[in-house]
Amino acid sequence: MALSISRRVLRSFGSLSGFGRCGDSSSLTRQSFRASHDLYGHVSGDCLFSAESSSFIKGAVSSLAHRRLSTSNVTSESTDGSFPSDLLSAKNVVTPQREIGLYQDLVIPVTNFHNEDKGLMVLAGDVFDVPIRKDIIHRVVRWQLAKRQQGTHSTKTISEVSGTGRKPYRQKGTGRARHGTLRGPQFRGGAVMHGPKPRSHAFKLNKKVRRLGLKIALTARAAEGKLLVFEDLEVPTHKTKNIVNYVIEMENTKKLLVVDGGPINEKLKLATQNLHYVNLLPSIGLNVYSILQHDTLVMSRDAVNKIVERMHTPIKR
């Protein structure tokens, strides 16, 4: 359990003359603690500090007097009993959840396939931190699936069905229903009435909506912590086992989408072509449906820059 302590507590005792006296300074000590009582926990007992803990406080106050006020996280495992237990609060340290959709720039670490530290990168807030709207995602996915549908379905009409055009039998006197052809829809091997013909299933969707859908998909992956930024996508060899080992090291990753800024590296293409759970895309081909199909998104630094540039380009009317 993580326990929180602030240097504000230490600085509040800088003006006290003696820390070892508990009886005389107990009232003054309680007053200095009262301001931060709700934030840092409860203090009980007649004597707040022992002689051993007071010597520790003196050294800490003198060494930290010139530093700014800050807060540190101390765990019971990391202290090894060297930190006074009187200053440790029993409250859990809760990290506040970041609110999504405030258009705030995000700072994300940059790495590579070797798990090396390549610095940090700032992600534009108007691309990677927009409000989540499921209705926009639904419209964009429907538009994508309809646009890629082949529409090659076809049936034969009565004029296209093979067969004779002769009247099967005379009009009257047989007691049967009257017919003029055997190619009608009611006969076996006959025509299909009002059947499908080759056509396009695509429909119009405004560019603003399509662009917003891609921003929402990128925001969702960034908020889930499933967006990784690489310095580059260079791999040492074309061996598939290198990519397999890297994916195994990643937690809760079933399908991986790798996006590069330009043409895909030939070694990376050979290393992933036999892996059904790893797919490659150039930045120009990044789309909402592909992002939703993969639970983890890996983008190169160049790909991020090109996506942001594409999102900031004015729409031609």
Side-chain angles (χ1 to χ4, degrees):
M1 183 193 312
L3 303 172
S4 63
I5 177 174
S6 174
R7 293 194 180 97
R8 183 183 300 173
V9 180
L10 304 180
R11 292 175 63 90
S12 63
F13 292 96
S15 60
L16 297 181
S17 58
F19 287 90
R21 295 176 299 172
C22 300
D24 298 338
S25 61
S26 60
S27 60
L28 182 60
T29 303
R30 289 192 182 94
Q31 293 177 2
S32 61
F33 263 100
R34 189 171 301 161
S36 58
H37 172 75
D38 295 333
L39 183 60
Y40 300 106
H42 300 276
V43 179
S44 59
D46 296 335
C47 181
L48 291 177
F49 301 98
S50 62
E52 180 181 359
S53 62
S54 63
S55 62
F56 174 84
I57 297 298
K58 289 181 180 180
V61 171
S62 60
S63 62
L64 299 175
H66 64 282
R67 299 182 62 180
R68 296 185 305 170
L69 180 64
S70 61
T71 302
S72 304
N73 290 335
V74 181
T75 60
S76 57
E77 292 79 5
S78 61
T79 56
D80 297 331
S82 59
F83 203 88
S85 59
D86 301 327
L87 295 179
L88 297 180
S89 172
K91 292 185 177 181
N92 295 333
V93 176
V94 179
T95 303
Q97 296 293 333
R98 181 179 67 87
E99 187 174 353
I100 305 173
L102 299 180
Y103 300 96
Q104 296 179 348
D105 293 345
L106 308 178
V107 179
I108 188 171
V110 181
T111 180
N112 56 13
F113 282 112
H114 304 285
N115 292 324
E116 298 175 349
D117 186 12
K118 295 296 182 178
L120 301 173
M121 185 174 187
V122 178
L123 304 180
D126 57 347
V127 178
F128 293 91
D129 189 24
V130 300
I132 302 296
R133 290 187 56 183
K134 295 182 179 180
D135 60 316
I136 298 295
I137 294 293
H138 178 258
R139 292 176 61 185
V140 176
V141 169
R142 285 189 64 249
W143 171 78
Q144 279 190 243
L145 297 181
K147 189 176 180 63
R148 77 175 189 177
Q149 188 171 345
Q150 291 183 350
T152 56
H153 38 48
S154 179
T155 56
K156 290 184 178 182
T157 62
I158 195 170
S159 61
E160 297 171 338
V161 173
S162 176
T164 180
R166 184 178 69 88
K167 188 175 177 65
Y169 45 83
R170 60 181 180 164
Q171 179 77 0
K172 303 174 73 69
T174 62
R176 302 177 61 185
R178 50 198 174 190
H179 295 292
T181 178
L182 294 178
R183 296 182 296 175
Q186 69 272 34
F187 292 109
R188 177 179 176 271
V192 176
M193 300 304 295
H194 311 294
K197 283 293 184 181
R199 67 181 180 92
S200 173
H201 291 264
F203 56 88
K204 183 180 179 296
L205 187 64
N206 293 338
K207 292 182 180 179
K208 283 187 176 181
V209 180
R210 287 145 51 182
R211 182 173 290 186
L212 180 58
L214 184 56
K215 292 180 181 180
I216 294 173
L218 293 173
T219 299
R221 287 293 173 262
E224 296 168 354
K226 292 293 187 176
L227 174 62
L228 306 179
V229 178
F230 281 14
E231 181 68 26
D232 52 52
L233 299 180
E234 296 293 333
V235 290
T237 63
H238 64 281
K239 294 294 185 181
T240 305
K241 63 180 180 181
N242 297 331
I243 304 298
V244 172
N245 294 333
Y246 178 77
V247 176
I248 291 176
E249 293 177 358
M250 302 176 67
E251 296 181 357
N252 301 326
T253 298
K254 295 182 179 180
K255 294 194 70 176
L256 184 66
L257 179 63
V258 182
V259 183
D260 201 357
I264 304 298
N265 184 13
E266 192 64 28
K267 290 183 180 179
L268 181 61
K269 189 183 299 183
L270 293 174
T272 59
Q273 66 180 359
N274 287 334
L275 300 177
H276 64 89
Y277 51 85
V278 179
N279 293 314
L280 307 178
L281 274 180
S283 61
I284 193 65
L286 185 62
N287 59 87
V288 175
Y289 189 64
S290 296
I291 294 177
L292 297 181
Q293 278 190 318
H294 301 78
D295 54 13
T296 303
L297 178 62
V298 175
M299 302 179 66
S300 64
R301 189 189 290 267
D302 186 31
V304 173
N305 293 331
K306 289 189 175 181
I307 289 295
V308 173
E309 180 182 0
R310 194 171 98 192
M311 295 295 103
H312 290 168
T313 302
I315 297 176
K316 293 183 180 180
R317 302 265 179 205

